[in-house]
Amino acid sequence: MSVLPQHVARSALASLGGAAGAVRFASVGDLPLENGGVLPDVVLAYETWGTLNADASNAVLVHHALTGSSHVARGDTDVAGWWDTLVGPGRPLDTDEVFVVSINMVGGCYGSTGPSSLAPDGRPWGSRFPQITLRDAANAEKRLAEALGIDVFSLVMGGSMGGARALEWAVTHPEAVQRCAVLAIGASSTAEQIAWAQPQLLAIRNDPDFADGNYYDGPAPSAGLGIARRIAHITYRSEAELGARFGRKAQAGEDPFSGTNAARGRYAVESYLDHKATSLAARFDANSYIVLSDALMSHDVARGRGGLEQALAGVSAEFLVAAVTSDRLYLPEQSFELAAALPGDVPVHLIDAAIGHDGFLTEMDQLGALLDAHVFGR
Amino acid sequence: MSVLPQHVARSALASLGGAAGAVRFASVGDLPLENGGVLPDVVLAYETWGTLNADASNAVLVHHALTGSSHVARGDTDVAGWWDTLVGPGRPLDTDEVFVVSINMVGGCYGSTGPSSLAPDGRPWGSRFPQITLRDAANAEKRLAEALGIDVFSLVMGGSMGGARALEWAVTHPEAVQRCAVLAIGASSTAEQIAWAQPQLLAIRNDPDFADGNYYDGPAPSAGLGIARRIAHITYRSEAELGARFGRKAQAGEDPFSGTNAARGRYAVESYLDHKATSLAARFDANSYIVLSDALMSHDVARGRGGLEQALAGVSAEFLVAAVTSDRLYLPEQSFELAAALPGDVPVHLIDAAIGHDGFLTEMDQLGALLDAHVFGR
């Protein structure tokens, strides 16, 4: 275990030492990659909440989605997490009972080794960062788990790409996963999901500031990353939600019929997407967006394993599979296909939400109830 | 009537004189615009098929969609049209009976005055081209109709943006439209449709070659336009269609797991989208894409007319409203809302297709049958 130089730690949370919800760093060594090659000297940023019990039987691994971080919940910090009400005393992941771990995925930009990290030659990896798969990530994370003294997780869970990471974990390390909760994602990324990712990555690569990925000495390709985020965000929300919130309204104080084509006032939904774009560009590295999106495009738990049913035949975990009713990116039918291919009789639970895919982040009561009833038997 | 300098006529069809399916040009004068200002010396490119009868009662106006042209059908030319089997002797728009007219929308790049045309100062309009609405286009096209000796169209029709143009025609010039066929579009562009357009236009504007829209002396912003097309094309097709055609297949001879992040082999669906992008960028002007997309975002037949029902109260046309069952961009429910708001009892016909929105271009037999049964009473 080592603490990395500050350039890797983008989060102020790193200054909080061992507190719950504070970022720590672990060196996990050289990582052989599924596609060949080795990523040297990999460091993973992670956070924990609660206490590992004496026989290390109460560990829960929570995986973040594409642009998430290890900061699931605020813990002892002042910074809200992305599943903030899920973790804490008396909460579904009850830190009086369980020890929660979350790890920034390798390739990311929240403290783990990624394209913005320094390569052995002292310059940022940039465009030289290798292609990473979810399987590579699971292998790196397994080393961290072992370093923490965890041989078996009582639960590995996540939504969206976090769900894909959880599923890949349960298949790659079946002996280490007792229960697995896979939310709002199927067994592989589909043509549709690959298709939506492609123009996002091209929008980043075509940004004048992208510089073939070696932009760390200059301005970041924020506009391109913002375009990617807008595309993604629309797929995360439902048509009905956008319609109900914005309709054809003009943004307050602006006129979409202002009379010039070069610049006009915005519709309210455009202002909303602008805000989503600016927010992400301020907190995320464009190269990490490419690396992690590419890893998500590679998501296929059956790859090289003799087909889906055979790939899943070896899992020993009990599964909780759930989908969001209005999800138009990760269709509920893909969750049903996953459940049908898993050993045993695995039902699909539906999170009832009008918002779309992001329901896995917003419907905390339903998610908590699912964990209470089907994982912890409360 | 005048023939424009060759720089305006991008199509070789312009050399064919008065033949069916050959591009001709008409000056329609200075065009006052809905948003204020005047577009001077507007020229419209148009094509015709068949012969206008003595009392000018057999004219049909066919409107193209966002990236279409006036070339609906090949006519006497060798170039296939985008509704090629719809127009001709014995076809649904039977040129032994009807006189078909199609007009490149003002702002476009197929011969009508648009951003690539020369402004009065002798330089291309570029970023100075004014904002155009579908209402402006209908007013310009009405002048051309009158110049052709057509006071009343027996039918005005179109799909997607062409449908919006047809609807706007019937409301703006109710005395001039006997029947109106509105396919695969509703009464206004929704938050969803505006949202999808926004990152497309930003991808063009963020292209290093865009030069604030004044790129006609240099390379075109083809990459940005290609990104826009990819986004649009995904919305034009269904998830099921992409899945059935491509799944997770790699493009032949390429390896998506080639091991580097800067460049890897493509998935088949990526190659497909690349092809769609390259094709459009080779035939379309990026500024026209912006101008026409913006006009489509402005689509709202109720704007300034006291609400939808009141706006439609004055139409005298008989309506044919149709939607594609699998359309995820222009949802069938929006066609039902339009039909319900029209005077009288207007049914919605469903074009049964798995492909998505593009079904209005591919399901020619069903479209022909609808026209036969519900417009021409054959």
Side-chain angles (χ1 to χ4, degrees), chain B residues 8-41:
Chain B
V8 177
R10 291 176 173 240
S11 169
L13 300 172
S15 63
L16 294 172
V23 177
R24 278 168 281 182
F25 303 92
S27 290
V28 298
D30 298 347
L31 184 68
L33 301 173
E34 185 180 357
N35 298 344
V38 172
L39 182 62
D41 295 325

PDB file of all heavy atoms in Angstrom, chain B residues 8-41:
ATOM      1  N   VAL B   8     -24.287  27.244 -57.368  1.00  0.00           N
ATOM      2  CA  VAL B   8     -25.447  26.916 -56.553  1.00  0.00           C
ATOM      3  C   VAL B   8     -25.962  25.521 -56.865  1.00  0.00           C
ATOM      4  O   VAL B   8     -26.508  24.831 -56.009  1.00  0.00           O
ATOM      5  CB  VAL B   8     -26.558  27.963 -56.777  1.00  0.00           C
ATOM      6  CG1 VAL B   8     -27.810  27.587 -55.993  1.00  0.00           C
ATOM      7  CG2 VAL B   8     -26.074  29.337 -56.383  1.00  0.00           C
ATOM      8  N   ALA B   9     -25.768  25.116 -58.106  1.00  0.00           N
ATOM      9  CA  ALA B   9     -26.323  23.831 -58.529  1.00  0.00           C
ATOM     10  C   ALA B   9     -25.327  22.725 -58.263  1.00  0.00           C
ATOM     11  O   ALA B   9     -24.406  22.489 -59.029  1.00  0.00           O
ATOM     12  CB  ALA B   9     -26.664  23.891 -60.015  1.00  0.00           C
ATOM     13  N   ARG B  10     -25.489  22.036 -57.146  1.00  0.00           N
ATOM     14  CA  ARG B  10     -24.551  20.987 -56.802  1.00  0.00           C
ATOM     15  C   ARG B  10     -24.852  19.710 -57.568  1.00  0.00           C
ATOM     16  O   ARG B  10     -24.062  18.790 -57.566  1.00  0.00           O
ATOM     17  CB  ARG B  10     -24.635  20.685 -55.309  1.00  0.00           C
ATOM     18  CG  ARG B  10     -24.093  21.818 -54.474  1.00  0.00           C
ATOM     19  CD  ARG B  10     -24.271  21.551 -52.999  1.00  0.00           C
ATOM     20  NE  ARG B  10     -23.567  22.606 -52.273  1.00  0.00           N
ATOM     21  CZ  ARG B  10     -22.566  22.389 -51.436  1.00  0.00           C
ATOM     22  NH1 ARG B  10     -22.157  21.187 -51.184  1.00  0.00           N
ATOM     23  NH2 ARG B  10     -21.974  23.395 -50.831  1.00  0.00           N
ATOM     24  N   SER B  11     -26.003  19.646 -58.180  1.00  0.00           N
ATOM     25  CA  SER B  11     -26.414  18.372 -58.759  1.00  0.00           C
ATOM     26  C   SER B  11     -26.236  18.380 -60.260  1.00  0.00           C
ATOM     27  O   SER B  11     -26.575  19.325 -60.953  1.00  0.00           O
ATOM     28  CB  SER B  11     -27.878  18.130 -58.420  1.00  0.00           C
ATOM     29  OG  SER B  11     -28.370  17.052 -59.153  1.00  0.00           O
ATOM     30  N   ALA B  12     -25.722  17.264 -60.768  1.00  0.00           N
ATOM     31  CA  ALA B  12     -25.587  17.107 -62.216  1.00  0.00           C
ATOM     32  C   ALA B  12     -26.953  17.101 -62.883  1.00  0.00           C
ATOM     33  O   ALA B  12     -27.073  17.295 -64.090  1.00  0.00           O
ATOM     34  CB  ALA B  12     -24.845  15.822 -62.537  1.00  0.00           C
ATOM     35  N   LEU B  13     -27.982  16.911 -62.083  1.00  0.00           N
ATOM     36  CA  LEU B  13     -29.336  16.888 -62.626  1.00  0.00           C
ATOM     37  C   LEU B  13     -29.716  18.223 -63.240  1.00  0.00           C
ATOM     38  O   LEU B  13     -30.637  18.313 -64.046  1.00  0.00           O
ATOM     39  CB  LEU B  13     -30.328  16.531 -61.524  1.00  0.00           C
ATOM     40  CG  LEU B  13     -30.101  15.175 -60.870  1.00  0.00           C
ATOM     41  CD1 LEU B  13     -31.026  15.019 -59.671  1.00  0.00           C
ATOM     42  CD2 LEU B  13     -30.316  14.058 -61.864  1.00  0.00           C
ATOM     43  N   ALA B  14     -28.992  19.260 -62.881  1.00  0.00           N
ATOM     44  CA  ALA B  14     -29.343  20.583 -63.376  1.00  0.00           C
ATOM     45  C   ALA B  14     -29.090  20.720 -64.867  1.00  0.00           C
ATOM     46  O   ALA B  14     -29.611  21.632 -65.505  1.00  0.00           O
ATOM     47  CB  ALA B  14     -28.548  21.640 -62.627  1.00  0.00           C
ATOM     48  N   SER B  15     -28.332  19.834 -65.442  1.00  0.00           N
ATOM     49  CA  SER B  15     -27.979  19.961 -66.856  1.00  0.00           C
ATOM     50  C   SER B  15     -29.035  19.360 -67.777  1.00  0.00           C
ATOM     51  O   SER B  15     -28.889  19.378 -68.989  1.00  0.00           O
ATOM     52  CB  SER B  15     -26.640  19.280 -67.110  1.00  0.00           C
ATOM     53  OG  SER B  15     -26.759  17.901 -66.831  1.00  0.00           O
ATOM     54  N   LEU B  16     -30.104  18.837 -67.207  1.00  0.00           N
ATOM     55  CA  LEU B  16     -31.042  18.071 -68.017  1.00  0.00           C
ATOM     56  C   LEU B  16     -32.247  18.874 -68.503  1.00  0.00           C
ATOM     57  O   LEU B  16     -33.239  18.299 -68.958  1.00  0.00           O
ATOM     58  CB  LEU B  16     -31.500  16.839 -67.241  1.00  0.00           C
ATOM     59  CG  LEU B  16     -30.372  15.840 -66.980  1.00  0.00           C
ATOM     60  CD1 LEU B  16     -30.828  14.741 -66.044  1.00  0.00           C
ATOM     61  CD2 LEU B  16     -29.887  15.241 -68.295  1.00  0.00           C
ATOM     62  N   GLY B  17     -32.208  20.185 -68.342  1.00  0.00           N
ATOM     63  CA  GLY B  17     -33.282  21.013 -68.883  1.00  0.00           C
ATOM     64  C   GLY B  17     -34.620  20.694 -68.259  1.00  0.00           C
ATOM     65  O   GLY B  17     -34.722  20.535 -67.039  1.00  0.00           O
ATOM     66  N   GLY B  18     -35.645  20.559 -69.065  1.00  0.00           N
ATOM     67  CA  GLY B  18     -37.000  20.408 -68.553  1.00  0.00           C
ATOM     68  C   GLY B  18     -37.449  18.976 -68.364  1.00  0.00           C
ATOM     69  O   GLY B  18     -38.637  18.721 -68.172  1.00  0.00           O
ATOM     70  N   ALA B  19     -36.536  18.028 -68.367  1.00  0.00           N
ATOM     71  CA  ALA B  19     -36.931  16.623 -68.231  1.00  0.00           C
ATOM     72  C   ALA B  19     -37.496  16.354 -66.838  1.00  0.00           C
ATOM     73  O   ALA B  19     -37.197  17.067 -65.877  1.00  0.00           O
ATOM     74  CB  ALA B  19     -35.723  15.725 -68.494  1.00  0.00           C
ATOM     75  N   ALA B  20     -38.325  15.309 -66.750  1.00  0.00           N
ATOM     76  CA  ALA B  20     -38.847  14.895 -65.452  1.00  0.00           C
ATOM     77  C   ALA B  20     -37.688  14.505 -64.555  1.00  0.00           C
ATOM     78  O   ALA B  20     -36.809  13.745 -64.959  1.00  0.00           O
ATOM     79  CB  ALA B  20     -39.805  13.726 -65.622  1.00  0.00           C
ATOM     80  N   GLY B  21     -37.693  15.009 -63.335  1.00  0.00           N
ATOM     81  CA  GLY B  21     -36.626  14.687 -62.405  1.00  0.00           C
ATOM     82  C   GLY B  21     -35.356  15.474 -62.629  1.00  0.00           C
ATOM     83  O   GLY B  21     -34.317  15.158 -62.059  1.00  0.00           O
ATOM     84  N   ALA B  22     -35.412  16.510 -63.458  1.00  0.00           N
ATOM     85  CA  ALA B  22     -34.253  17.384 -63.656  1.00  0.00           C
ATOM     86  C   ALA B  22     -34.438  18.653 -62.832  1.00  0.00           C
ATOM     87  O   ALA B  22     -35.554  19.157 -62.695  1.00  0.00           O
ATOM     88  CB  ALA B  22     -34.108  17.745 -65.133  1.00  0.00           C
ATOM     89  N   VAL B  23     -33.347  19.163 -62.300  1.00  0.00           N
ATOM     90  CA  VAL B  23     -33.443  20.319 -61.410  1.00  0.00           C
ATOM     91  C   VAL B  23     -33.603  21.595 -62.234  1.00  0.00           C
ATOM     92  O   VAL B  23     -32.866  21.835 -63.182  1.00  0.00           O
ATOM     93  CB  VAL B  23     -32.190  20.427 -60.520  1.00  0.00           C
ATOM     94  CG1 VAL B  23     -32.269  21.681 -59.648  1.00  0.00           C
ATOM     95  CG2 VAL B  23     -32.043  19.195 -59.652  1.00  0.00           C
ATOM     96  N   ARG B  24     -34.590  22.394 -61.867  1.00  0.00           N
ATOM     97  CA  ARG B  24     -34.749  23.736 -62.424  1.00  0.00           C
ATOM     98  C   ARG B  24     -34.723  24.744 -61.280  1.00  0.00           C
ATOM     99  O   ARG B  24     -34.820  24.359 -60.117  1.00  0.00           O
ATOM    100  CB  ARG B  24     -36.063  23.819 -63.207  1.00  0.00           C
ATOM    101  CG  ARG B  24     -35.913  23.250 -64.615  1.00  0.00           C
ATOM    102  CD  ARG B  24     -37.246  23.069 -65.288  1.00  0.00           C
ATOM    103  NE  ARG B  24     -37.893  21.861 -64.807  1.00  0.00           N
ATOM    104  CZ  ARG B  24     -39.073  21.428 -65.254  1.00  0.00           C
ATOM    105  NH1 ARG B  24     -39.745  22.135 -66.149  1.00  0.00           N
ATOM    106  NH2 ARG B  24     -39.596  20.307 -64.788  1.00  0.00           N
ATOM    107  N   PHE B  25     -34.621  25.987 -61.632  1.00  0.00           N
ATOM    108  CA  PHE B  25     -34.470  27.037 -60.620  1.00  0.00           C
ATOM    109  C   PHE B  25     -35.467  28.144 -60.871  1.00  0.00           C
ATOM    110  O   PHE B  25     -35.740  28.498 -62.028  1.00  0.00           O
ATOM    111  CB  PHE B  25     -33.050  27.606 -60.656  1.00  0.00           C
ATOM    112  CG  PHE B  25     -31.999  26.560 -60.446  1.00  0.00           C
ATOM    113  CD1 PHE B  25     -31.422  25.912 -61.529  1.00  0.00           C
ATOM    114  CD2 PHE B  25     -31.620  26.193 -59.169  1.00  0.00           C
ATOM    115  CE1 PHE B  25     -30.470  24.925 -61.346  1.00  0.00           C
ATOM    116  CE2 PHE B  25     -30.670  25.205 -58.978  1.00  0.00           C
ATOM    117  CZ  PHE B  25     -30.095  24.569 -60.067  1.00  0.00           C
ATOM    118  N   ALA B  26     -35.992  28.693 -59.786  1.00  0.00           N
ATOM    119  CA  ALA B  26     -36.939  29.794 -59.889  1.00  0.00           C
ATOM    120  C   ALA B  26     -36.575  30.873 -58.880  1.00  0.00           C
ATOM    121  O   ALA B  26     -36.335  30.575 -57.704  1.00  0.00           O
ATOM    122  CB  ALA B  26     -38.357  29.297 -59.617  1.00  0.00           C
ATOM    123  N   SER B  27     -36.532  32.113 -59.344  1.00  0.00           N
ATOM    124  CA  SER B  27     -36.352  33.230 -58.418  1.00  0.00           C
ATOM    125  C   SER B  27     -37.702  33.594 -57.826  1.00  0.00           C
ATOM    126  O   SER B  27     -38.677  33.759 -58.565  1.00  0.00           O
ATOM    127  CB  SER B  27     -35.775  34.443 -59.152  1.00  0.00           C
ATOM    128  OG  SER B  27     -34.437  34.194 -59.518  1.00  0.00           O
ATOM    129  N   VAL B  28     -37.755  33.679 -56.535  1.00  0.00           N
ATOM    130  CA  VAL B  28     -39.029  34.031 -55.885  1.00  0.00           C
ATOM    131  C   VAL B  28     -38.920  35.350 -55.138  1.00  0.00           C
ATOM    132  O   VAL B  28     -39.814  35.704 -54.357  1.00  0.00           O
ATOM    133  CB  VAL B  28     -39.526  32.906 -54.955  1.00  0.00           C
ATOM    134  CG1 VAL B  28     -39.794  31.640 -55.765  1.00  0.00           C
ATOM    135  CG2 VAL B  28     -38.551  32.636 -53.830  1.00  0.00           C
ATOM    136  N   GLY B  29     -37.836  36.081 -55.350  1.00  0.00           N
ATOM    137  CA  GLY B  29     -37.732  37.436 -54.802  1.00  0.00           C
ATOM    138  C   GLY B  29     -37.249  37.473 -53.359  1.00  0.00           C
ATOM    139  O   GLY B  29     -36.736  36.494 -52.816  1.00  0.00           O
ATOM    140  N   ASP B  30     -37.423  38.635 -52.748  1.00  0.00           N
ATOM    141  CA  ASP B  30     -36.999  38.828 -51.354  1.00  0.00           C
ATOM    142  C   ASP B  30     -38.018  38.158 -50.423  1.00  0.00           C
ATOM    143  O   ASP B  30     -39.226  38.332 -50.596  1.00  0.00           O
ATOM    144  CB  ASP B  30     -36.928  40.323 -51.030  1.00  0.00           C
ATOM    145  CG  ASP B  30     -35.892  41.040 -51.891  1.00  0.00           C
ATOM    146  OD1 ASP B  30     -35.069  40.363 -52.538  1.00  0.00           O
ATOM    147  OD2 ASP B  30     -35.938  42.283 -51.923  1.00  0.00           O
ATOM    148  N   LEU B  31     -37.508  37.434 -49.444  1.00  0.00           N
ATOM    149  CA  LEU B  31     -38.407  36.677 -48.560  1.00  0.00           C
ATOM    150  C   LEU B  31     -38.410  37.268 -47.149  1.00  0.00           C
ATOM    151  O   LEU B  31     -37.413  37.184 -46.435  1.00  0.00           O
ATOM    152  CB  LEU B  31     -37.950  35.218 -48.500  1.00  0.00           C
ATOM    153  CG  LEU B  31     -38.832  34.263 -47.687  1.00  0.00           C
ATOM    154  CD1 LEU B  31     -40.171  34.054 -48.362  1.00  0.00           C
ATOM    155  CD2 LEU B  31     -38.125  32.917 -47.470  1.00  0.00           C
ATOM    156  N   PRO B  32     -39.537  37.879 -46.751  1.00  0.00           N
ATOM    157  CA  PRO B  32     -39.633  38.339 -45.349  1.00  0.00           C
ATOM    158  C   PRO B  32     -39.655  37.118 -44.429  1.00  0.00           C
ATOM    159  O   PRO B  32     -40.287  36.109 -44.748  1.00  0.00           O
ATOM    160  CB  PRO B  32     -40.971  39.074 -45.296  1.00  0.00           C
ATOM    161  CG  PRO B  32     -41.436  39.201 -46.708  1.00  0.00           C
ATOM    162  CD  PRO B  32     -40.789  38.108 -47.487  1.00  0.00           C
ATOM    163  N   LEU B  33     -38.956  37.205 -43.321  1.00  0.00           N
ATOM    164  CA  LEU B  33     -38.796  36.046 -42.448  1.00  0.00           C
ATOM    165  C   LEU B  33     -39.610  36.187 -41.169  1.00  0.00           C
ATOM    166  O   LEU B  33     -39.792  37.299 -40.650  1.00  0.00           O
ATOM    167  CB  LEU B  33     -37.315  35.856 -42.102  1.00  0.00           C
ATOM    168  CG  LEU B  33     -36.409  35.639 -43.318  1.00  0.00           C
ATOM    169  CD1 LEU B  33     -34.943  35.632 -42.888  1.00  0.00           C
ATOM    170  CD2 LEU B  33     -36.766  34.351 -44.038  1.00  0.00           C
ATOM    171  N   GLU B  34     -40.061  35.048 -40.668  1.00  0.00           N
ATOM    172  CA  GLU B  34     -40.884  35.036 -39.451  1.00  0.00           C
ATOM    173  C   GLU B  34     -40.169  35.711 -38.289  1.00  0.00           C
ATOM    174  O   GLU B  34     -40.790  36.372 -37.460  1.00  0.00           O
ATOM    175  CB  GLU B  34     -41.224  33.586 -39.102  1.00  0.00           C
ATOM    176  CG  GLU B  34     -42.174  33.452 -37.914  1.00  0.00           C
ATOM    177  CD  GLU B  34     -42.491  32.008 -37.578  1.00  0.00           C
ATOM    178  OE1 GLU B  34     -42.031  31.088 -38.304  1.00  0.00           O
ATOM    179  OE2 GLU B  34     -43.194  31.788 -36.578  1.00  0.00           O
ATOM    180  N   ASN B  35     -38.877  35.556 -38.210  1.00  0.00           N
ATOM    181  CA  ASN B  35     -38.121  36.082 -37.071  1.00  0.00           C
ATOM    182  C   ASN B  35     -37.616  37.496 -37.310  1.00  0.00           C
ATOM    183  O   ASN B  35     -36.755  37.979 -36.574  1.00  0.00           O
ATOM    184  CB  ASN B  35     -36.933  35.168 -36.774  1.00  0.00           C
ATOM    185  CG  ASN B  35     -37.388  33.780 -36.399  1.00  0.00           C
ATOM    186  OD1 ASN B  35     -38.559  33.585 -36.072  1.00  0.00           O
ATOM    187  ND2 ASN B  35     -36.506  32.826 -36.449  1.00  0.00           N
ATOM    188  N   GLY B  36     -38.111  38.152 -38.345  1.00  0.00           N
ATOM    189  CA  GLY B  36     -37.626  39.492 -38.671  1.00  0.00           C
ATOM    190  C   GLY B  36     -36.589  39.408 -39.765  1.00  0.00           C
ATOM    191  O   GLY B  36     -35.980  38.373 -39.998  1.00  0.00           O
ATOM    192  N   GLY B  37     -36.380  40.500 -40.435  1.00  0.00           N
ATOM    193  CA  GLY B  37     -35.395  40.509 -41.506  1.00  0.00           C
ATOM    194  C   GLY B  37     -35.956  39.966 -42.803  1.00  0.00           C
ATOM    195  O   GLY B  37     -37.108  39.498 -42.874  1.00  0.00           O
ATOM    196  N   VAL B  38     -35.136  40.052 -43.808  1.00  0.00           N
ATOM    197  CA  VAL B  38     -35.520  39.634 -45.161  1.00  0.00           C
ATOM    198  C   VAL B  38     -34.350  38.870 -45.761  1.00  0.00           C
ATOM    199  O   VAL B  38     -33.202  39.296 -45.644  1.00  0.00           O
ATOM    200  CB  VAL B  38     -35.841  40.873 -46.041  1.00  0.00           C
ATOM    201  CG1 VAL B  38     -36.050  40.449 -47.501  1.00  0.00           C
ATOM    202  CG2 VAL B  38     -37.063  41.612 -45.511  1.00  0.00           C
ATOM    203  N   LEU B  39     -34.624  37.736 -46.372  1.00  0.00           N
ATOM    204  CA  LEU B  39     -33.592  37.037 -47.149  1.00  0.00           C
ATOM    205  C   LEU B  39     -33.760  37.489 -48.604  1.00  0.00           C
ATOM    206  O   LEU B  39     -34.798  37.224 -49.217  1.00  0.00           O
ATOM    207  CB  LEU B  39     -33.766  35.529 -47.013  1.00  0.00           C
ATOM    208  CG  LEU B  39     -32.712  34.670 -47.737  1.00  0.00           C
ATOM    209  CD1 LEU B  39     -31.317  34.921 -47.186  1.00  0.00           C
ATOM    210  CD2 LEU B  39     -33.074  33.187 -47.644  1.00  0.00           C
ATOM    211  N   PRO B  40     -32.755  38.172 -49.154  1.00  0.00           N
ATOM    212  CA  PRO B  40     -32.942  38.752 -50.484  1.00  0.00           C
ATOM    213  C   PRO B  40     -32.762  37.737 -51.611  1.00  0.00           C
ATOM    214  O   PRO B  40     -32.025  36.762 -51.459  1.00  0.00           O
ATOM    215  CB  PRO B  40     -31.840  39.828 -50.543  1.00  0.00           C
ATOM    216  CG  PRO B  40     -30.771  39.321 -49.639  1.00  0.00           C
ATOM    217  CD  PRO B  40     -31.465  38.543 -48.551  1.00  0.00           C
ATOM    218  N   ASP B  41     -33.469  38.003 -52.707  1.00  0.00           N
ATOM    219  CA  ASP B  41     -33.231  37.286 -53.978  1.00  0.00           C
ATOM    220  C   ASP B  41     -33.220  35.774 -53.818  1.00  0.00           C
ATOM    221  O   ASP B  41     -32.274  35.101 -54.221  1.00  0.00           O
ATOM    222  CB  ASP B  41     -31.872  37.716 -54.568  1.00  0.00           C
ATOM    223  CG  ASP B  41     -31.874  39.188 -54.952  1.00  0.00           C
ATOM    224  OD1 ASP B  41     -32.938  39.667 -55.394  1.00  0.00           O
ATOM    225  OD2 ASP B  41     -30.819  39.832 -54.796  1.00  0.00           O
TER     226      ASP B  41
END
